[in-house]
Amino acid sequence: MVDYSELLTLLYAVGNVTSSVTLVLLNKRVFSNGFYYPMTLSCFHFAFTIIFYQLLAAFDVFKKPAIDMPRTEKFKVAFAGF
């Protein structure tokens, strides 16, 4: 049997970097064309991220975290997002 977990991890890492760089470049383009509302753009990013994770959960690609997660673990997850 072939174990594709390392390849999948590499694919996720490359996808993460690619999407982050693309988002920064798109933001620069939007702001250079006269859009002066950075908080609105951040709200759009958060909204689309939530929608994207909902879609991933609907297709069983992403598992929602347990509701009974301890508060310290929630802070660890939130801190990892920085």
Side-chain angles (χ1 to χ4, degrees), residues 35-76:
F35 187 81
Y36 300 112
Y37 306 103
M39 292 303 290
T40 303
L41 195 59
S42 293
C43 288
F44 286 148
H45 290 168
F46 282 119
F48 284 113
T49 300
I50 291 169
I51 292 168
F52 181 69
Y53 276 121
Q54 294 293 335
L55 285 172
L56 288 177
F59 289 108
D60 292 330
V61 178
F62 173 75
K63 184 179 176 186
K64 293 181 181 179
I67 294 174
D68 59 346
M69 181 186 286
R71 185 176 297 240
T72 56
E73 294 300 315
K74 289 180 185 179
F75 280 112
K76 288 179 188 176

Side-chain angles (χ1 to χ4, degrees), residues 19-46:
S19 64
S20 297
V21 170
T22 302
L23 186 62
V24 168
L25 292 174
L26 287 173
N27 283 345
K28 284 185 174 190
R29 177 131 181 154
V30 166
F31 286 121
S32 68
N33 287 332
F35 187 81
Y36 300 112
Y37 306 103
M39 292 303 290
T40 303
L41 195 59
S42 293
C43 288
F44 286 148
H45 290 168
F46 282 119

